[in-house]
Amino acid sequence: MKVQLGQYKGIGLKRPDVNVKDEEINNYINKIRENYKVEVEKEGFIENGDYTTMDYDGYQDGLHIPEASGKNYHLRIGQGFFLDEFEEHLLGMRKGDTVKFDLVLPSNYQVKHLRDETIHFEVKISSVMNRVIPELTDDVVKRFKIEGINTIDELKEYAKDKIYYQKMMKESARVINEIMHKVIDGSNVELKDEEMESLKQEILEDFKNQLKGKNANLELYLSYTKKTEEEILEQCKIEAETYLIEKAIIEKIAEVENITLNDEEKEKYENIEEDALNELLYQKVIHFLLKENTIIIK
């Protein structure tokens, strides 16, 4: 495969410096806190969204119905986990209250012989709870079980680092994509037909396997999308060509700039597969291209 590199340094793309705002840090931490809500007893009336514990007993013609009864039953009101008509009778009740009412069970009730039957219910409310986001303290931070993070200040730095990395990776991906387009447009790569044909078939087989994993096949996909097999093959060819050209250019830049894995890296990754080693080398070339072709705007 012959590669004639065009300009790959000094392109001078501008990219903004990555900054993390306090608001972003707070939002990140609040999302973590959402997963650690605590139950707090509520003194007021039951409302939609409240968590309740109750004992309820169902009766028909004065006889107790075990299939329509429950002890120490936990229910969140208004979430569709119980009969809507049943829950409506609980709204406005408080801890310790007992409410009695008649209810016609629906025709799709899980117990067949009780369908469309009128049942008398007696419900005693044992507790009413809210789930609230805990106040941020060092003790609460320890509950998050993030390795090495035990204080609020450490959590904020952790959040800042995570957000910075995410934003940097997103911005870097955008910029490197633009750089590669410019390098490819200015370079000349002669691909081997047999290598491209082989990769094209690999891509096609991967696509077929993806369809198979979704209980479909290529024929079914073509019938739904109104595409032809020739169009799919052409798309596979374009993907193969793009991949091989990028790979050839990356390898050529690594060769020209003498970008290699050092002895420490080789020793550290000596037991991983060749594809993974190539990926590490690829990342080093990407870092080189970002450094040589971008101007950070403060």
PDB file of all heavy atoms in Angstrom, residues 131-164:
ATOM      1  N   ARG A 131     -39.441  10.016  50.049  1.00  0.00           N
ATOM      2  CA  ARG A 131     -38.025   9.775  49.760  1.00  0.00           C
ATOM      3  C   ARG A 131     -37.403  11.098  49.335  1.00  0.00           C
ATOM      4  O   ARG A 131     -37.844  11.710  48.359  1.00  0.00           O
ATOM      5  CB  ARG A 131     -37.857   8.718  48.667  1.00  0.00           C
ATOM      6  CG  ARG A 131     -38.145   7.310  49.154  1.00  0.00           C
ATOM      7  CD  ARG A 131     -37.802   6.260  48.137  1.00  0.00           C
ATOM      8  NE  ARG A 131     -38.073   4.926  48.649  1.00  0.00           N
ATOM      9  CZ  ARG A 131     -37.927   3.808  47.942  1.00  0.00           C
ATOM     10  NH1 ARG A 131     -37.509   3.884  46.688  1.00  0.00           N
ATOM     11  NH2 ARG A 131     -38.192   2.638  48.471  1.00  0.00           N
ATOM     12  N   VAL A 132     -36.392  11.525  50.061  1.00  0.00           N
ATOM     13  CA  VAL A 132     -35.775  12.829  49.802  1.00  0.00           C
ATOM     14  C   VAL A 132     -34.294  12.647  49.519  1.00  0.00           C
ATOM     15  O   VAL A 132     -33.659  11.693  49.979  1.00  0.00           O
ATOM     16  CB  VAL A 132     -35.977  13.788  50.996  1.00  0.00           C
ATOM     17  CG1 VAL A 132     -37.448  14.032  51.246  1.00  0.00           C
ATOM     18  CG2 VAL A 132     -35.324  13.231  52.261  1.00  0.00           C
ATOM     19  N   ILE A 133     -33.762  13.584  48.750  1.00  0.00           N
ATOM     20  CA  ILE A 133     -32.327  13.593  48.467  1.00  0.00           C
ATOM     21  C   ILE A 133     -31.589  14.001  49.735  1.00  0.00           C
ATOM     22  O   ILE A 133     -31.927  15.012  50.345  1.00  0.00           O
ATOM     23  CB  ILE A 133     -32.005  14.572  47.326  1.00  0.00           C
ATOM     24  CG1 ILE A 133     -32.712  14.135  46.041  1.00  0.00           C
ATOM     25  CG2 ILE A 133     -30.506  14.654  47.086  1.00  0.00           C
ATOM     26  CD1 ILE A 133     -32.563  15.100  44.901  1.00  0.00           C
ATOM     27  N   PRO A 134     -30.592  13.236  50.163  1.00  0.00           N
ATOM     28  CA  PRO A 134     -29.900  13.571  51.416  1.00  0.00           C
ATOM     29  C   PRO A 134     -29.086  14.852  51.294  1.00  0.00           C
ATOM     30  O   PRO A 134     -28.554  15.174  50.222  1.00  0.00           O
ATOM     31  CB  PRO A 134     -28.981  12.364  51.640  1.00  0.00           C
ATOM     32  CG  PRO A 134     -28.732  11.818  50.272  1.00  0.00           C
ATOM     33  CD  PRO A 134     -30.010  12.043  49.520  1.00  0.00           C
ATOM     34  N   GLU A 135     -29.005  15.572  52.389  1.00  0.00           N
ATOM     35  CA  GLU A 135     -28.145  16.757  52.439  1.00  0.00           C
ATOM     36  C   GLU A 135     -26.707  16.312  52.239  1.00  0.00           C
ATOM     37  O   GLU A 135     -26.288  15.269  52.742  1.00  0.00           O
ATOM     38  CB  GLU A 135     -28.311  17.450  53.790  1.00  0.00           C
ATOM     39  CG  GLU A 135     -27.470  18.716  53.936  1.00  0.00           C
ATOM     40  CD  GLU A 135     -27.618  19.343  55.315  1.00  0.00           C
ATOM     41  OE1 GLU A 135     -28.481  18.862  56.080  1.00  0.00           O
ATOM     42  OE2 GLU A 135     -26.870  20.281  55.613  1.00  0.00           O
ATOM     43  N   LEU A 136     -25.964  17.094  51.495  1.00  0.00           N
ATOM     44  CA  LEU A 136     -24.599  16.705  51.170  1.00  0.00           C
ATOM     45  C   LEU A 136     -23.671  16.962  52.354  1.00  0.00           C
ATOM     46  O   LEU A 136     -23.446  18.110  52.747  1.00  0.00           O
ATOM     47  CB  LEU A 136     -24.103  17.478  49.937  1.00  0.00           C
ATOM     48  CG  LEU A 136     -22.830  16.936  49.284  1.00  0.00           C
ATOM     49  CD1 LEU A 136     -23.041  15.518  48.774  1.00  0.00           C
ATOM     50  CD2 LEU A 136     -22.393  17.843  48.138  1.00  0.00           C
ATOM     51  N   THR A 137     -23.164  15.890  52.934  1.00  0.00           N
ATOM     52  CA  THR A 137     -22.199  15.956  54.032  1.00  0.00           C
ATOM     53  C   THR A 137     -21.085  14.965  53.735  1.00  0.00           C
ATOM     54  O   THR A 137     -21.208  14.117  52.839  1.00  0.00           O
ATOM     55  CB  THR A 137     -22.848  15.593  55.377  1.00  0.00           C
ATOM     56  OG1 THR A 137     -23.262  14.211  55.332  1.00  0.00           O
ATOM     57  CG2 THR A 137     -24.049  16.484  55.680  1.00  0.00           C
ATOM     58  N   ASP A 138     -20.010  15.048  54.499  1.00  0.00           N
ATOM     59  CA  ASP A 138     -18.916  14.095  54.297  1.00  0.00           C
ATOM     60  C   ASP A 138     -19.386  12.663  54.539  1.00  0.00           C
ATOM     61  O   ASP A 138     -18.980  11.731  53.828  1.00  0.00           O
ATOM     62  CB  ASP A 138     -17.743  14.423  55.231  1.00  0.00           C
ATOM     63  CG  ASP A 138     -16.991  15.677  54.794  1.00  0.00           C
ATOM     64  OD1 ASP A 138     -17.219  16.152  53.666  1.00  0.00           O
ATOM     65  OD2 ASP A 138     -16.174  16.188  55.585  1.00  0.00           O
ATOM     66  N   ASP A 139     -20.257  12.473  55.531  1.00  0.00           N
ATOM     67  CA  ASP A 139     -20.775  11.130  55.816  1.00  0.00           C
ATOM     68  C   ASP A 139     -21.593  10.597  54.643  1.00  0.00           C
ATOM     69  O   ASP A 139     -21.515   9.410  54.304  1.00  0.00           O
ATOM     70  CB  ASP A 139     -21.636  11.141  57.088  1.00  0.00           C
ATOM     71  CG  ASP A 139     -20.799  11.262  58.352  1.00  0.00           C
ATOM     72  OD1 ASP A 139     -19.598  10.923  58.291  1.00  0.00           O
ATOM     73  OD2 ASP A 139     -21.332  11.697  59.383  1.00  0.00           O
ATOM     74  N   VAL A 140     -22.391  11.468  54.016  1.00  0.00           N
ATOM     75  CA  VAL A 140     -23.182  11.058  52.854  1.00  0.00           C
ATOM     76  C   VAL A 140     -22.268  10.727  51.686  1.00  0.00           C
ATOM     77  O   VAL A 140     -22.483   9.752  50.956  1.00  0.00           O
ATOM     78  CB  VAL A 140     -24.191  12.154  52.468  1.00  0.00           C
ATOM     79  CG1 VAL A 140     -24.821  11.871  51.098  1.00  0.00           C
ATOM     80  CG2 VAL A 140     -25.282  12.266  53.527  1.00  0.00           C
ATOM     81  N   VAL A 141     -21.219  11.513  51.497  1.00  0.00           N
ATOM     82  CA  VAL A 141     -20.258  11.260  50.417  1.00  0.00           C
ATOM     83  C   VAL A 141     -19.650   9.867  50.568  1.00  0.00           C
ATOM     84  O   VAL A 141     -19.469   9.143  49.577  1.00  0.00           O
ATOM     85  CB  VAL A 141     -19.152  12.339  50.409  1.00  0.00           C
ATOM     86  CG1 VAL A 141     -18.021  11.935  49.457  1.00  0.00           C
ATOM     87  CG2 VAL A 141     -19.725  13.689  49.988  1.00  0.00           C
ATOM     88  N   LYS A 142     -19.347   9.467  51.779  1.00  0.00           N
ATOM     89  CA  LYS A 142     -18.768   8.134  52.009  1.00  0.00           C
ATOM     90  C   LYS A 142     -19.733   7.031  51.585  1.00  0.00           C
ATOM     91  O   LYS A 142     -19.292   5.960  51.154  1.00  0.00           O
ATOM     92  CB  LYS A 142     -18.391   7.981  53.476  1.00  0.00           C
ATOM     93  CG  LYS A 142     -17.215   8.849  53.898  1.00  0.00           C
ATOM     94  CD  LYS A 142     -16.984   8.783  55.403  1.00  0.00           C
ATOM     95  CE  LYS A 142     -15.869   9.750  55.822  1.00  0.00           C
ATOM     96  NZ  LYS A 142     -15.693   9.786  57.297  1.00  0.00           N
ATOM     97  N   ARG A 143     -21.038   7.315  51.693  1.00  0.00           N
ATOM     98  CA  ARG A 143     -22.034   6.324  51.285  1.00  0.00           C
ATOM     99  C   ARG A 143     -22.029   6.091  49.780  1.00  0.00           C
ATOM    100  O   ARG A 143     -22.494   5.047  49.307  1.00  0.00           O
ATOM    101  CB  ARG A 143     -23.435   6.764  51.720  1.00  0.00           C
ATOM    102  CG  ARG A 143     -23.696   6.644  53.214  1.00  0.00           C
ATOM    103  CD  ARG A 143     -25.077   7.163  53.561  1.00  0.00           C
ATOM    104  NE  ARG A 143     -26.100   6.601  52.695  1.00  0.00           N
ATOM    105  CZ  ARG A 143     -27.255   7.193  52.426  1.00  0.00           C
ATOM    106  NH1 ARG A 143     -27.521   8.388  52.938  1.00  0.00           N
ATOM    107  NH2 ARG A 143     -28.145   6.623  51.653  1.00  0.00           N
ATOM    108  N   PHE A 144     -21.531   7.059  49.012  1.00  0.00           N
ATOM    109  CA  PHE A 144     -21.490   6.928  47.559  1.00  0.00           C
ATOM    110  C   PHE A 144     -20.509   5.839  47.123  1.00  0.00           C
ATOM    111  O   PHE A 144     -20.576   5.358  45.996  1.00  0.00           O
ATOM    112  CB  PHE A 144     -21.112   8.257  46.902  1.00  0.00           C
ATOM    113  CG  PHE A 144     -22.107   9.372  47.142  1.00  0.00           C
ATOM    114  CD1 PHE A 144     -21.731  10.700  46.973  1.00  0.00           C
ATOM    115  CD2 PHE A 144     -23.404   9.084  47.539  1.00  0.00           C
ATOM    116  CE1 PHE A 144     -22.648  11.727  47.191  1.00  0.00           C
ATOM    117  CE2 PHE A 144     -24.319  10.101  47.761  1.00  0.00           C
ATOM    118  CZ  PHE A 144     -23.937  11.418  47.594  1.00  0.00           C
ATOM    119  N   LYS A 145     -19.555   5.498  48.003  1.00  0.00           N
ATOM    120  CA  LYS A 145     -18.585   4.426  47.753  1.00  0.00           C
ATOM    121  C   LYS A 145     -17.810   4.627  46.452  1.00  0.00           C
ATOM    122  O   LYS A 145     -17.650   3.708  45.639  1.00  0.00           O
ATOM    123  CB  LYS A 145     -19.289   3.061  47.754  1.00  0.00           C
ATOM    124  CG  LYS A 145     -19.886   2.698  49.102  1.00  0.00           C
ATOM    125  CD  LYS A 145     -20.552   1.335  49.074  1.00  0.00           C
ATOM    126  CE  LYS A 145     -21.138   1.003  50.445  1.00  0.00           C
ATOM    127  NZ  LYS A 145     -21.820  -0.315  50.460  1.00  0.00           N
ATOM    128  N   ILE A 146     -17.355   5.868  46.258  1.00  0.00           N
ATOM    129  CA  ILE A 146     -16.468   6.168  45.132  1.00  0.00           C
ATOM    130  C   ILE A 146     -15.042   6.065  45.654  1.00  0.00           C
ATOM    131  O   ILE A 146     -14.677   6.741  46.624  1.00  0.00           O
ATOM    132  CB  ILE A 146     -16.730   7.581  44.573  1.00  0.00           C
ATOM    133  CG1 ILE A 146     -18.194   7.719  44.147  1.00  0.00           C
ATOM    134  CG2 ILE A 146     -15.808   7.871  43.401  1.00  0.00           C
ATOM    135  CD1 ILE A 146     -18.592   9.122  43.753  1.00  0.00           C
ATOM    136  N   GLU A 147     -14.255   5.228  45.048  1.00  0.00           N
ATOM    137  CA  GLU A 147     -12.920   4.929  45.557  1.00  0.00           C
ATOM    138  C   GLU A 147     -12.085   6.199  45.752  1.00  0.00           C
ATOM    139  O   GLU A 147     -11.939   7.006  44.835  1.00  0.00           O
ATOM    140  CB  GLU A 147     -12.190   3.979  44.614  1.00  0.00           C
ATOM    141  CG  GLU A 147     -10.851   3.502  45.150  1.00  0.00           C
ATOM    142  CD  GLU A 147     -10.182   2.481  44.252  1.00  0.00           C
ATOM    143  OE1 GLU A 147     -10.812   2.073  43.246  1.00  0.00           O
ATOM    144  OE2 GLU A 147      -9.043   2.086  44.545  1.00  0.00           O
ATOM    145  N   GLY A 148     -11.567   6.366  46.970  1.00  0.00           N
ATOM    146  CA  GLY A 148     -10.705   7.499  47.280  1.00  0.00           C
ATOM    147  C   GLY A 148     -11.431   8.794  47.546  1.00  0.00           C
ATOM    148  O   GLY A 148     -10.789   9.828  47.791  1.00  0.00           O
ATOM    149  N   ILE A 149     -12.773   8.788  47.502  1.00  0.00           N
ATOM    150  CA  ILE A 149     -13.555  10.008  47.696  1.00  0.00           C
ATOM    151  C   ILE A 149     -14.308   9.914  49.017  1.00  0.00           C
ATOM    152  O   ILE A 149     -15.218   9.079  49.174  1.00  0.00           O
ATOM    153  CB  ILE A 149     -14.557  10.219  46.537  1.00  0.00           C
ATOM    154  CG1 ILE A 149     -13.836  10.162  45.192  1.00  0.00           C
ATOM    155  CG2 ILE A 149     -15.291  11.545  46.715  1.00  0.00           C
ATOM    156  CD1 ILE A 149     -12.741  11.177  45.018  1.00  0.00           C
ATOM    157  N   ASN A 150     -13.938  10.774  49.980  1.00  0.00           N
ATOM    158  CA  ASN A 150     -14.531  10.705  51.320  1.00  0.00           C
ATOM    159  C   ASN A 150     -15.067  12.037  51.825  1.00  0.00           C
ATOM    160  O   ASN A 150     -15.705  12.081  52.876  1.00  0.00           O
ATOM    161  CB  ASN A 150     -13.493  10.181  52.320  1.00  0.00           C
ATOM    162  CG  ASN A 150     -13.044   8.767  52.004  1.00  0.00           C
ATOM    163  OD1 ASN A 150     -13.836   7.839  52.031  1.00  0.00           O
ATOM    164  ND2 ASN A 150     -11.768   8.610  51.689  1.00  0.00           N
ATOM    165  N   THR A 151     -14.813  13.116  51.097  1.00  0.00           N
ATOM    166  CA  THR A 151     -15.263  14.433  51.543  1.00  0.00           C
ATOM    167  C   THR A 151     -15.957  15.168  50.405  1.00  0.00           C
ATOM    168  O   THR A 151     -15.834  14.784  49.227  1.00  0.00           O
ATOM    169  CB  THR A 151     -14.074  15.286  52.026  1.00  0.00           C
ATOM    170  OG1 THR A 151     -13.228  15.606  50.905  1.00  0.00           O
ATOM    171  CG2 THR A 151     -13.252  14.551  53.086  1.00  0.00           C
ATOM    172  N   ILE A 152     -16.664  16.246  50.766  1.00  0.00           N
ATOM    173  CA  ILE A 152     -17.359  17.050  49.755  1.00  0.00           C
ATOM    174  C   ILE A 152     -16.358  17.652  48.773  1.00  0.00           C
ATOM    175  O   ILE A 152     -16.575  17.638  47.554  1.00  0.00           O
ATOM    176  CB  ILE A 152     -18.181  18.170  50.430  1.00  0.00           C
ATOM    177  CG1 ILE A 152     -19.314  17.555  51.261  1.00  0.00           C
ATOM    178  CG2 ILE A 152     -18.758  19.116  49.382  1.00  0.00           C
ATOM    179  CD1 ILE A 152     -20.092  18.570  52.073  1.00  0.00           C
ATOM    180  N   ASP A 153     -15.258  18.179  49.294  1.00  0.00           N
ATOM    181  CA  ASP A 153     -14.252  18.792  48.413  1.00  0.00           C
ATOM    182  C   ASP A 153     -13.676  17.769  47.440  1.00  0.00           C
ATOM    183  O   ASP A 153     -13.459  18.079  46.260  1.00  0.00           O
ATOM    184  CB  ASP A 153     -13.130  19.413  49.257  1.00  0.00           C
ATOM    185  CG  ASP A 153     -13.582  20.673  49.976  1.00  0.00           C
ATOM    186  OD1 ASP A 153     -14.599  21.258  49.554  1.00  0.00           O
ATOM    187  OD2 ASP A 153     -12.930  21.062  50.968  1.00  0.00           O
ATOM    188  N   GLU A 154     -13.420  16.554  47.932  1.00  0.00           N
ATOM    189  CA  GLU A 154     -12.890  15.503  47.054  1.00  0.00           C
ATOM    190  C   GLU A 154     -13.924  15.119  45.999  1.00  0.00           C
ATOM    191  O   GLU A 154     -13.571  14.857  44.842  1.00  0.00           O
ATOM    192  CB  GLU A 154     -12.504  14.279  47.881  1.00  0.00           C
ATOM    193  CG  GLU A 154     -11.269  14.486  48.746  1.00  0.00           C
ATOM    194  CD  GLU A 154     -10.998  13.334  49.686  1.00  0.00           C
ATOM    195  OE1 GLU A 154     -11.889  12.477  49.862  1.00  0.00           O
ATOM    196  OE2 GLU A 154      -9.890  13.285  50.272  1.00  0.00           O
ATOM    197  N   LEU A 155     -15.197  15.104  46.389  1.00  0.00           N
ATOM    198  CA  LEU A 155     -16.268  14.773  45.445  1.00  0.00           C
ATOM    199  C   LEU A 155     -16.365  15.834  44.350  1.00  0.00           C
ATOM    200  O   LEU A 155     -16.558  15.515  43.171  1.00  0.00           O
ATOM    201  CB  LEU A 155     -17.600  14.647  46.173  1.00  0.00           C
ATOM    202  CG  LEU A 155     -18.810  14.304  45.299  1.00  0.00           C
ATOM    203  CD1 LEU A 155     -18.633  12.937  44.649  1.00  0.00           C
ATOM    204  CD2 LEU A 155     -20.103  14.345  46.114  1.00  0.00           C
ATOM    205  N   LYS A 156     -16.221  17.101  44.728  1.00  0.00           N
ATOM    206  CA  LYS A 156     -16.289  18.177  43.738  1.00  0.00           C
ATOM    207  C   LYS A 156     -15.138  18.076  42.738  1.00  0.00           C
ATOM    208  O   LYS A 156     -15.328  18.291  41.536  1.00  0.00           O
ATOM    209  CB  LYS A 156     -16.270  19.533  44.449  1.00  0.00           C
ATOM    210  CG  LYS A 156     -17.578  19.858  45.173  1.00  0.00           C
ATOM    211  CD  LYS A 156     -17.528  21.227  45.828  1.00  0.00           C
ATOM    212  CE  LYS A 156     -18.862  21.563  46.500  1.00  0.00           C
ATOM    213  NZ  LYS A 156     -18.847  22.886  47.145  1.00  0.00           N
ATOM    214  N   GLU A 157     -13.939  17.755  43.236  1.00  0.00           N
ATOM    215  CA  GLU A 157     -12.797  17.589  42.332  1.00  0.00           C
ATOM    216  C   GLU A 157     -12.998  16.387  41.415  1.00  0.00           C
ATOM    217  O   GLU A 157     -12.661  16.429  40.229  1.00  0.00           O
ATOM    218  CB  GLU A 157     -11.503  17.417  43.144  1.00  0.00           C
ATOM    219  CG  GLU A 157     -10.975  18.704  43.738  1.00  0.00           C
ATOM    220  CD  GLU A 157     -10.673  19.755  42.669  1.00  0.00           C
ATOM    221  OE1 GLU A 157     -10.035  19.400  41.654  1.00  0.00           O
ATOM    222  OE2 GLU A 157     -11.082  20.913  42.846  1.00  0.00           O
ATOM    223  N   TYR A 158     -13.563  15.329  41.986  1.00  0.00           N
ATOM    224  CA  TYR A 158     -13.868  14.122  41.205  1.00  0.00           C
ATOM    225  C   TYR A 158     -14.854  14.452  40.078  1.00  0.00           C
ATOM    226  O   TYR A 158     -14.660  14.065  38.923  1.00  0.00           O
ATOM    227  CB  TYR A 158     -14.441  13.059  42.138  1.00  0.00           C
ATOM    228  CG  TYR A 158     -15.042  11.859  41.451  1.00  0.00           C
ATOM    229  CD1 TYR A 158     -14.244  10.779  41.065  1.00  0.00           C
ATOM    230  CD2 TYR A 158     -16.420  11.782  41.212  1.00  0.00           C
ATOM    231  CE1 TYR A 158     -14.801   9.668  40.447  1.00  0.00           C
ATOM    232  CE2 TYR A 158     -16.981  10.676  40.595  1.00  0.00           C
ATOM    233  CZ  TYR A 158     -16.171   9.621  40.218  1.00  0.00           C
ATOM    234  OH  TYR A 158     -16.733   8.521  39.609  1.00  0.00           O
ATOM    235  N   ALA A 159     -15.918  15.184  40.441  1.00  0.00           N
ATOM    236  CA  ALA A 159     -16.928  15.564  39.453  1.00  0.00           C
ATOM    237  C   ALA A 159     -16.319  16.463  38.382  1.00  0.00           C
ATOM    238  O   ALA A 159     -16.592  16.304  37.189  1.00  0.00           O
ATOM    239  CB  ALA A 159     -18.091  16.271  40.141  1.00  0.00           C
ATOM    240  N   LYS A 160     -15.490  17.411  38.810  1.00  0.00           N
ATOM    241  CA  LYS A 160     -14.847  18.325  37.863  1.00  0.00           C
ATOM    242  C   LYS A 160     -13.972  17.562  36.869  1.00  0.00           C
ATOM    243  O   LYS A 160     -14.007  17.832  35.660  1.00  0.00           O
ATOM    244  CB  LYS A 160     -14.003  19.349  38.626  1.00  0.00           C
ATOM    245  CG  LYS A 160     -13.337  20.384  37.731  1.00  0.00           C
ATOM    246  CD  LYS A 160     -12.561  21.396  38.563  1.00  0.00           C
ATOM    247  CE  LYS A 160     -11.894  22.442  37.673  1.00  0.00           C
ATOM    248  NZ  LYS A 160     -11.144  23.436  38.470  1.00  0.00           N
ATOM    249  N   ASP A 161     -13.205  16.587  37.370  1.00  0.00           N
ATOM    250  CA  ASP A 161     -12.329  15.793  36.498  1.00  0.00           C
ATOM    251  C   ASP A 161     -13.150  14.980  35.500  1.00  0.00           C
ATOM    252  O   ASP A 161     -12.798  14.885  34.321  1.00  0.00           O
ATOM    253  CB  ASP A 161     -11.457  14.852  37.332  1.00  0.00           C
ATOM    254  CG  ASP A 161     -10.377  15.596  38.118  1.00  0.00           C
ATOM    255  OD1 ASP A 161     -10.114  16.769  37.794  1.00  0.00           O
ATOM    256  OD2 ASP A 161      -9.821  14.999  39.058  1.00  0.00           O
ATOM    257  N   LYS A 162     -14.252  14.394  35.976  1.00  0.00           N
ATOM    258  CA  LYS A 162     -15.091  13.577  35.101  1.00  0.00           C
ATOM    259  C   LYS A 162     -15.709  14.431  33.993  1.00  0.00           C
ATOM    260  O   LYS A 162     -15.722  14.034  32.820  1.00  0.00           O
ATOM    261  CB  LYS A 162     -16.197  12.911  35.920  1.00  0.00           C
ATOM    262  CG  LYS A 162     -15.729  11.756  36.793  1.00  0.00           C
ATOM    263  CD  LYS A 162     -15.378  10.556  35.946  1.00  0.00           C
ATOM    264  CE  LYS A 162     -15.021   9.352  36.787  1.00  0.00           C
ATOM    265  NZ  LYS A 162     -14.670   8.163  35.980  1.00  0.00           N
ATOM    266  N   ILE A 163     -16.233  15.589  34.364  1.00  0.00           N
ATOM    267  CA  ILE A 163     -16.871  16.470  33.383  1.00  0.00           C
ATOM    268  C   ILE A 163     -15.841  16.984  32.390  1.00  0.00           C
ATOM    269  O   ILE A 163     -16.086  17.035  31.183  1.00  0.00           O
ATOM    270  CB  ILE A 163     -17.562  17.649  34.090  1.00  0.00           C
ATOM    271  CG1 ILE A 163     -18.693  17.140  34.993  1.00  0.00           C
ATOM    272  CG2 ILE A 163     -18.127  18.643  33.070  1.00  0.00           C
ATOM    273  CD1 ILE A 163     -19.230  18.186  35.943  1.00  0.00           C
ATOM    274  N   TYR A 164     -14.659  17.376  32.907  1.00  0.00           N
ATOM    275  CA  TYR A 164     -13.587  17.874  32.042  1.00  0.00           C
ATOM    276  C   TYR A 164     -13.206  16.815  31.006  1.00  0.00           C
ATOM    277  O   TYR A 164     -13.075  17.112  29.810  1.00  0.00           O
ATOM    278  CB  TYR A 164     -12.363  18.243  32.871  1.00  0.00           C
ATOM    279  CG  TYR A 164     -11.188  18.702  32.044  1.00  0.00           C
ATOM    280  CD1 TYR A 164     -11.077  20.031  31.638  1.00  0.00           C
ATOM    281  CD2 TYR A 164     -10.193  17.803  31.651  1.00  0.00           C
ATOM    282  CE1 TYR A 164     -10.011  20.452  30.858  1.00  0.00           C
ATOM    283  CE2 TYR A 164      -9.130  18.214  30.872  1.00  0.00           C
ATOM    284  CZ  TYR A 164      -9.035  19.534  30.485  1.00  0.00           C
ATOM    285  OH  TYR A 164      -7.983  19.942  29.711  1.00  0.00           O
TER     286      TYR A 164
END
